[in-house]
Amino acid sequence: MEVQHGISGVRAFRLFDAFNSDFTEHVPLVSGDTTRLEVRLYDSTGARRTAIPGGAQVAFRFDPDSLAVAAPIDGLPFWKAVTPTSGVGTEGSLFVSVLFLADSSTKTYGPIQVLVH
């Protein structure tokens, strides 16, 4: 997985579920269920960023496209509700893009392994 490291060696990007489990390396999705995933961003000192100057938008892309769908969660800009659309045993990848609105730059992280259970 491609990540950017801050000066303290802390990852610049991490992915967590609603139970605070770290899914940065592997995302297990349960068939017939929706998993809430949070993108956590860190600055160059390793401090977690809960707000981005100018704002940011998070987008998920799955490969293959038929693997799962991600929907926004009202009031939670760094969260997505992910529902698998493929059968049990299907493997694929997740790519997470963050659009920084202040300068219109986009950073994409991934691939992150995804498996439907």
Side-chain angles (χ1 to χ4, degrees):
M1 170 160 139
E2 176 185 344
V3 294
Q4 296 180 0
H5 295 280
I7 59 173
S8 65
V10 175
R11 290 181 180 168
F13 161 87
R14 292 176 76 188
L15 185 68
F16 292 83
D17 73 355
F19 301 103
N20 211 33
S21 298
D22 189 340
F23 282 2
T24 308
E25 300 297 329
H26 169 240
V27 179
L29 297 177
V30 177
S31 181
D33 200 3
T34 297
T35 303
R36 291 170 54 127
L37 297 177
E38 177 190 18
V39 173
R40 293 184 185 170
L41 301 170
Y42 298 84
D43 67 16
S44 62
T45 69
R48 183 173 167 199
R49 300 296 306 260
T50 56
I52 304 296
Q57 294 177 345
V58 173
F60 286 10
R61 180 179 64 82
F62 294 95
D63 182 23
D65 293 341
S66 61
L67 183 67
V69 294
I73 299 174
D74 288 339
L76 299 172
F78 295 114
W79 285 83
K80 297 289 182 191
V82 178
T83 306
T85 51
S86 292
V88 172
T90 304
E91 294 183 59
S93 299
L94 166 62
F95 296 86
V96 179
S97 295
V98 181
L99 169 61
F100 296 94
L101 299 174
D103 64 3
S104 297
S105 66
T106 300
K107 293 191 180 189
T108 300
Y109 302 90
I112 301 166
Q113 180 186 13
V114 177
L115 175 63
V116 179
H117 294 268

